[in-house]
Amino acid sequence: MAGDGFRTSISAWRPPVPGIAEVFHAHFTDHAYPVHTHDTWDLMILDAGSVDFALDRRRHGLSGTAGVLLLPPGIPHDGRTVTPSGFRKRNLYLDDSVLPRRWAGRAVDSPVFHDALLRHRIHQLHAALVPVGDMLEAESRLAFVRERLHSHLAVLQPRAPGREANRLATGLRELLDSRTDVGISLSEAAAVLHAHPTHLIRCFKQTYGLPPHTYLTGKRIDRARRLLLTGHRPAEVATTVGYHDQAHLNRHFTRHLGTTPARYQRTIADPRRT
């Protein structure tokens, strides 16, 4: 959408993912933020350019696509462009369920993380947070971002799957199989199986070779194919297998099969077509 001026572009939305208050993408060339505070944590990555900012009256900088910036809630900060080309950024505003507010002081001391894995996980999360995205995938991505941030702020190390991995993976698979059409949130699955969300995902991937959200997508696409073969309309199939709309089904179906549901159905209806 258009922003405040000719050289500004922004997009913002609130996804239905617990813990994320807002997603904000922007390209600024001449904008300068005045000193302000947020009620939420501000997690930012750059896709181009550099930014200069002050946090609690100490100046910092972030350049290129390698670093991650974390601004804590309640702490005054500003922000401004450094070069004429400005910067392109992606922000996630996270509430206290993702990061406890008591860690704000640690973030003030070191607001920039040079962590390629964290940066990659944040990028994956943004990709899953398209205005209508896969919520199980988004929750899973957020869980791993949260875990990595905790390792920086609280020096916590994740636990590797042990002998309980197969049991937890089997339990999660049964939950996914029973709720293919309506889905299940990661937090709900973790509560049912009495496991930490990221530990549950690791156990599933170790046992079955793919993450839970990928498994669920495959189940939905298989069911969509069967329904299309029996003559159901793509829009009807989308909601039946658990997607918000036909566009959401199209995106996953095309990624799996290289064609849209409608083209797939037309091709099967006339076997002479290739």
Side-chain angles (χ1 to χ4, degrees):
M1 66 180 71
D4 297 333
F6 178 73
R7 294 191 294 174
T8 295
S9 63
I10 66 170
S11 60
W13 67 96
R14 183 168 190 172
V17 178
I20 302 180
E22 182 184 341
V23 184
F24 182 78
H25 295 179
H27 178 202
F28 292 129
T29 56
D30 57 2
H31 178 66
Y33 285 101
V35 176
H36 63 287
T37 64
H38 295 293
D39 291 332
T40 56
W41 294 82
D42 180 359
L43 183 64
M44 185 181 89
I45 57 175
L46 290 179
D47 292 313
S50 302
V51 62
D52 175 84
F53 66 97
L55 177 64
D56 198 26
R57 294 174 292 185
R58 293 174 54 193
R59 299 221 69 83
H60 304 269
L62 179 65
S63 299
T65 60
V68 174
L69 171 60
L70 179 65
L71 299 175
I75 306 299
H77 60 276
D78 63 11
R80 63 194 183 194
T81 58
V82 176
T83 63
S85 59
F87 61 92
R88 288 190 295 114
K89 67 169 187 168
R90 287 178 284 170
N91 296 66
L92 296 171
Y93 293 93
L94 308 174
D95 65 30
D96 294 352
S97 68
V98 179
L99 294 173
R101 193 173 289 251
R102 67 179 182 274
W103 289 351
R106 301 179 191 182
V108 169
D109 294 336
S110 301
V112 177
F113 305 130
H114 298 285
D115 182 338
L117 178 58
L118 174 60
R119 204 274 179 192
H120 178 64
R121 287 180 175 175
I122 295 169
H123 167 74
Q124 290 178 314
L125 175 54
H126 276 281
L129 288 171
V130 289
V132 178
D134 186 323
M135 290 304 100
L136 179 59
E137 178 180 359
E139 282 188 291
S140 301
R141 301 291 187 195
L142 176 60
F144 280 103
V145 168
R146 176 181 181 271
E147 178 184 82
R148 194 72 178 177
L149 290 171
H150 280 214
S151 73
H152 281 284
L153 296 174
V155 198
L156 298 175
Q157 296 301 318
R159 181 165 65 95
R163 288 182 294 179
E164 79 287 358
N166 288 346
R167 174 182 60 81
L168 289 174
T170 300
L172 179 54
R173 182 170 180 169
E174 290 173 351
L175 285 174
L176 295 173
D177 288 345
S178 68
R179 300 184 59 170
T180 301
D181 54 343
V182 296
I184 186 170
S185 70
L186 180 60
S187 58
E188 183 180 356
V192 170
L193 298 171
H194 306 289
H196 189 277
T198 53
H199 184 65
L200 185 58
I201 296 169
R202 286 192 173 95
C203 290
F204 192 94
K205 189 171 183 179
Q206 176 177 287
T207 302
Y208 296 115
L210 74 173
H213 68 266
T214 303
Y215 173 80
L216 179 61
T217 296
K219 294 277 293 184
R220 285 174 167 172
I221 295 302
D222 278 349
R223 189 178 180 204
R225 293 173 70 172
R226 292 193 298 270
L227 291 171
L228 290 167
L229 289 175
T230 56
H232 290 79
R233 295 181 298 106
E236 176 190 354
V237 170
T239 56
T240 299
V241 302
Y243 289 121
H244 297 284
D245 51 31
Q246 186 174 341
H248 197 187
L249 172 63
N250 284 358
R251 181 163 61 90
H252 288 291
F253 199 95
T254 302
R255 187 168 63 183
H256 274 247
L257 295 177
T259 188
T260 66
R263 288 174 181 166
Y264 176 84
Q265 191 174 56
R266 288 198 300 269
T267 301
I268 298 302
D270 184 355
R272 295 169 297 178
R273 297 184 61 176
T274 61

